[in-house]
C-alpha cells in the first residue's frame, strides 16, 4: 500500500493477492484453451486483449468519468467539496486527487485511478444535496481509502478479465460460424462444429461465473475495509453510519430508470444502486448488507469510546 495514514488492512491485501493469483491461473488456462481451438487467431486475440488491459488500467479514471457523466470541478466551482477533501488529505497524508461532480440525483460517490497520483473522486449532486459536511467527510474518507489501499486498481484489472472472457468468446464464435472450425478438417460436418461451439460457450460461461464470484467476494470485503479505515481516520464512525443509512434509504425514492443506469457501476460506488424489487444483484452483491456495515461501525465506535 502507498504511504498514507489510513489504517492498513492485511486481510484486504492478502485477499487481493489471492484473487489476482486465482484469476491469473483461470485466464491463463482460458486463453490456452482458445489458442488450442483457434490457433489462427492467437496473435489477434493477444494484441486486442493487451490493448484493452492497458487502456482500462491507464485510462480508468477518464473512462469512469465519461461513463458516469462526471466532470472535473475547480475549488472555485465547488469550494465546500474541495475543502472536505483537503481536510481528509491532510489527515491521511496523501496527495489530493482530482475532484469531480456527476449531475444525477442518485446519491453516491466513487473513486478511481491506478494510484494516488492519478486518482479522481467523484460525488453526485444528489449526494451533495442530502448529506451534511460531517457525513460527507465520512463518505469521502471511505472513497479515498480505496485509493490508498490500491483496491481500485485491482478491481479495475479484475473487471477487465470478465470483459476478456466475453471478447475471446465472441472471436471464437464468429470464427467458428464463418467456417474456421470446419476448415481444419473438410470431413467435419455441421454437427461437429456445433459441438465445438457448445464447448466454447460452456467453458466461457464457467470462466465468467468463477471470475464473477471471486471479484464479488473481494468487492464486499473491500467495502468493509474502507468503512473501517474511514471511521478510524476521521474518528467519527457514527457520521459514516448516518451517511450509509441516509443514502440507502434515499435509494428507494430514486426513479427506477436512474437506478438501472447506475447499477452497472455498483462495484465502484459508496452504496449500491438497486432497482426496486427482487434482482439477481441482491444475491451476488458488490457490497455487504447495510446491517453488516452498521454493525462494524458500531463496534468501532465502542472501541474508540473505550480508547481501544
Amino acid at each position: 500500500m502507498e504511504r498514507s495514514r489510513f489504517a492498513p488492512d492485511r486481510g484486504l491485501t492478502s485477499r487481493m493477492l489471492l484473487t489476482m493469483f486465482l484469476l491469473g491461473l483461470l485466464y491463463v488456462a482460458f486463453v490456452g484453451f482458445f489458442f488450442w481451438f483457434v490457433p489462427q487467431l492467437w496473435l489477434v486475440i493477444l494484441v486486442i486483449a493487451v490493448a484493452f488491459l492497458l487502456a482500462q488500467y491507464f485510462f480508468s479514471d477518464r473512462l469512469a468519468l465519461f461513463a458516469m457523466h462526471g466532470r472535473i470541478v475547480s475549488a472555485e466551482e465547488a469550494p465546500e467539496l474541495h475543502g472536505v477533501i483537503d481536510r481528509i488529505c491532510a489527515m491521511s497524508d496523501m496527495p489530493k486527487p482530482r475532484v469531480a461532480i456527476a449531475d444525477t440525483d442518485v446519491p453516491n460517490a466513487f473513486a478511481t485511478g491506478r494510484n494516488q497520483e492519478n486518482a479522481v473522486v467523484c460525488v453526485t449532486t444528489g449526494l451533495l444535496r442530502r448529506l451534511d459536511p460531517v457525513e460527507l467527510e465520512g463518505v469521502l474518507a471511505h472513497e479515498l481509502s480505496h485509493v490508498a489501499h490500491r483496491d481500485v486498481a485491482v478491481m479495475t484489472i479484475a473487471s477487465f478479465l470478465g470483459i476478456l472472457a466475453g471478447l475471446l468468446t465472441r472471436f471464437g464464435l464468429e470464427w467458428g460460424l464463418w467456417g474456421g472450425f470446419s476448415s481444419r478438417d473438410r470431413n467435419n460436418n455441421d454437427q461437429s462444429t456445433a459441438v465445438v461451439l457448445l464447448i466454447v460457450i460452456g467453458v466461457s460461461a464457467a470462466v465468467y461465473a468463477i471470475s464473477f464470484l471471486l471479484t464479488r467476494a473481494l468487492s464486499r470485503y473491500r467495502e468493509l475495509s474502507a468503512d473501517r479505515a474511514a471511521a478510524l481516520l476521521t474518528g467519527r464512525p457514527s457520521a459514516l453510519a448516518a451517511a450509509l443509512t441516509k443514502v440507502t434509504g434515499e435509494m428507494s425514492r430514486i426513479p427506477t430508470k436512474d437506478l438501472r443506469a447506475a447499477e452497472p457501476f455498483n462495484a465502484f460506488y459508496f452504496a449500491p444502486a438497486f432497482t426496486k424489487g427482487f434482482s439477481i444483484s441482491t444475491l451476488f452483491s458488490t457490497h455487504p448488507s447495510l446491517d453488516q456495515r452498521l454493525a462494524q461501525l458500531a463496534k468501532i465506535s465502542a472501541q474508540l469510546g473505550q480508547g481501544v
Side-chain angles (χ1 to χ4, degrees):
M1 188 177 72
E2 296 178 77
R3 183 177 63 88
S4 76
R5 293 197 183 104
F6 279 106
D9 191 326
R10 293 181 180 178
L12 176 62
T13 301
S14 62
R15 282 170 171 80
M16 289 193 296
L17 290 174
L18 179 61
T19 299
M20 294 308 297
F21 175 74
L22 293 176
L23 285 174
L25 286 180
L26 179 67
Y27 278 87
V28 166
F30 183 49
V31 172
F33 167 82
F34 256 87
F35 286 175
W36 184 75
F37 265 98
V38 285
Q40 293 88 338
L41 291 179
W42 73 268
L43 183 59
V44 175
I45 293 174
L46 181 63
V47 170
I48 294 178
V50 171
F52 265 73
L53 176 60
L54 293 177
Q56 188 158 354
Y57 183 74
F58 287 102
F59 302 104
S60 61
D61 51 345
R62 300 178 188 178
L63 293 173
L65 285 180
F66 176 79
M68 301 178 196
H69 309 290
R71 66 179 184 88
I72 301 297
V73 293
S74 65
E76 290 74 22
E77 293 176 282
E80 295 85 1
L81 178 58
H82 272 267
V84 174
I85 292 179
D86 285 338
R87 288 197 302 274
I88 298 171
C89 290
M91 287 190 292
S92 61
D93 191 26
M94 64 183 292
K96 182 179 179 180
R98 288 172 294 159
V99 182
I101 292 178
D103 188 14
T104 173
D105 195 43
V106 178
N108 237 316
F110 69 90
T112 185
R114 63 185 183 275
N115 53 40
Q116 294 183 13
E117 288 70 31
N118 296 276
V120 58
V121 175
C122 184
V123 181
T124 68
T125 52
L127 189 76
L128 293 174
R129 284 196 296 268
R130 289 173 172 87
L131 300 188
D132 63 38
V134 177
E135 294 168 342
L136 182 62
E137 181 182 74
V139 172
L140 293 176
H142 169 105
E143 294 304 326
L144 285 174
S145 75
H146 284 312
V147 177
H149 290 154
R150 298 203 69 176
D151 56 73
V152 174
V154 172
M155 287 299 294
T156 297
I157 296 174
S159 63
F160 159 77
L161 296 178
I163 297 174
L164 178 60
L167 181 66
L168 291 176
T169 302
R170 180 174 180 179
F171 267 100
L173 290 176
E174 289 184 353
W175 187 77
L177 291 173
W178 281 100
F181 292 119
S182 59
S183 65
R184 296 173 68 183
D185 184 355
R186 295 184 183 276
N187 295 322
N188 285 345
N189 54 28
D190 292 341
Q191 183 177 2
S192 63
T193 300
V195 170
V196 173
L197 289 176
L198 288 175
I199 293 174
V200 170
I201 294 173
V203 171
S204 301
V207 168
Y208 178 79
I210 295 172
S211 62
F212 178 88
L213 293 174
L214 287 173
T215 54
R216 287 302 185 272
L218 175 60
S219 180
R220 288 191 293 272
Y221 185 89
R222 82 182 189 112
E223 293 302 327
L224 289 174
S225 177
D227 285 346
R228 176 178 177 274
L232 293 176
L233 180 73
T234 63
R236 295 171 174 172
S238 59
L240 182 56
L244 270 170
T245 304
K246 188 179 292 185
V247 168
T248 304
E250 288 293 320
M251 287 295 181
S252 62
R253 303 181 182 181
I254 304 300
T256 300
K257 64 180 181 66
D258 293 338
L259 292 177
R260 284 176 177 166
E263 274 189 20
F265 311 107
N266 272 345
F268 298 97
Y269 275 144
F270 168 68
F274 287 135
T275 52
K276 304 172 183 64
F278 178 81
S279 169
I280 192 67
S281 299
T282 61
L283 294 178
F284 303 106
S285 178
T286 55
H287 291 62
S289 67
L290 175 63
D291 290 341
Q292 189 176 1
R293 297 177 76 175
L294 293 180
Q296 177 185 245
L297 291 172
K299 183 179 179 180
I300 294 173
S301 183
Q303 291 173 344
L304 292 176
Q306 297 170 2
V308 177

